[in-house]
């Protein structure tokens, strides 16, 4: 089973490599090359998620292995959400950009179900919801405040030394 996590991490690393290459738009990549790199990263991260979800569903222990799977799944969904946001930035129309932002929101929401003492998907879900509809700053106040409270609890505990939490 540990091989599943190792294989998923390899796919995740490869996805991050292609994501990083895509982020070089205008430096060494045309818009079409950027899209191809993002698509390759998206394919890799989906494969990692598929592997991890299968292992998570099959895992019978409630211990560290299942927690590790959950962390990896949440991380992969976070990466996938970021890829969709990058696709939105590359979009040639507002409709296409909105579609990709909605996909990012769905993906971050999925990641929330697996987050263990983390806030990456939570934070990015709020950001995407604001990008989709600025009125969310007012209509989503309760959700935003719940997220702030969750993060404040985390930084008082095991995440007090983690820069991302701050």
């Amino acid at each position: 089973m540990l091989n599943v996590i190792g294989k998923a991490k390899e796919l995740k690393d490869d996805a991050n490599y292609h994501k990083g290459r895509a982020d070089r738009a205008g430096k060494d990549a045309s818009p079409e090359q950027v899209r191809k790199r993002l698509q390759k990263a998206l394919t890799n991260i989906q494969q990692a998620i598929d592997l991890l979800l299968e292992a998570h569903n099959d895992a019978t222990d409630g211990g560290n292995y299942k927690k590790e799977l959950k962390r990896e799944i949440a991380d992969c969904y976070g990466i996938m959400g970021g890829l969709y946001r990058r696709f939105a930035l590359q979009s040639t129309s507002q409709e296409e950009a909105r579609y990709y932002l909605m996909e990012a929101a769905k993906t971050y929401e999925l990641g929330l179900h697996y987050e263990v003492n983390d806030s990456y998907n939570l934070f990015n879900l709020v950001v995407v919801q604001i990008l989709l509809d600025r009125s969310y700053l007012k209509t989503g106040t309760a959700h935003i405040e719940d997220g702030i409270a969750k993060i404040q609890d985390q930084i008082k505990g095991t995440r007090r030394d983690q820069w991302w939490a701050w």
Side-chain angles (χ1 to χ4, degrees), residues 4-5 8 48-57 69 72-73 76:
V4 169
I5 293 174
I49 289 170
D50 292 344
L51 283 171
L52 292 164
L53 285 175
E54 183 178 348
H56 181 266
N57 292 337
L69 287 168
E72 287 296 321
I73 293 167
C76 286

Side-chain angles (χ1 to χ4, degrees), residues 141-165:
T141 303
H143 186 238
I144 294 168
E145 288 174 355
D146 287 346
I148 291 169
K150 182 177 179 180
I151 293 167
Q152 287 175 336
D153 285 344
Q154 289 174 1
I155 60 176
K156 291 176 187 172
T158 58
R159 297 190 71 205
R160 66 183 161 271
D161 295 327
Q162 293 179 358
W163 67 270
W164 174 251

Side-chain angles (χ1 to χ4, degrees), residues 56-83:
H56 181 266
N57 292 337
D58 290 344
T60 56
D61 77 333
N64 289 335
Y65 179 65
K66 198 144 185 168
K67 285 180 186 174
E68 179 69 16
L69 287 168
K70 287 179 84 165
R71 276 192 293 276
E72 287 296 321
I73 293 167
D75 192 35
C76 286
Y77 277 127
I79 292 168
M80 182 179 271
L83 291 169

Side-chain angles (χ1 to χ4, degrees), residues 20 35-36 94 116-117:
R35 288 184 79 77
K36 284 181 182 177
Q94 286 186 343
V116 177
N117 199 31

Side-chain angles (χ1 to χ4, degrees), residues 72-127:
E72 287 296 321
I73 293 167
D75 192 35
C76 286
Y77 277 127
I79 292 168
M80 182 179 271
L83 291 169
Y84 281 127
R85 284 177 65 181
R86 283 169 174 82
F87 271 115
L89 290 171
Q90 295 296 316
S91 295
T92 56
S93 71
Q94 286 186 343
E95 294 80 21
E96 184 181 54
R98 183 169 182 73
Y99 166 79
Y100 283 122
L101 287 174
M102 289 172 61
E103 289 300 306
K106 289 179 202 172
T107 303
Y108 290 134
E109 184 111 26
L110 288 169
L112 273 174
H113 297 292
Y114 296 96
E115 278 189 340
V116 177
N117 199 31
D118 202 344
S119 57
Y120 185 86
N121 286 291
L122 169 66
F123 174 80
N124 282 291
L125 177 59
V126 169
V127 170

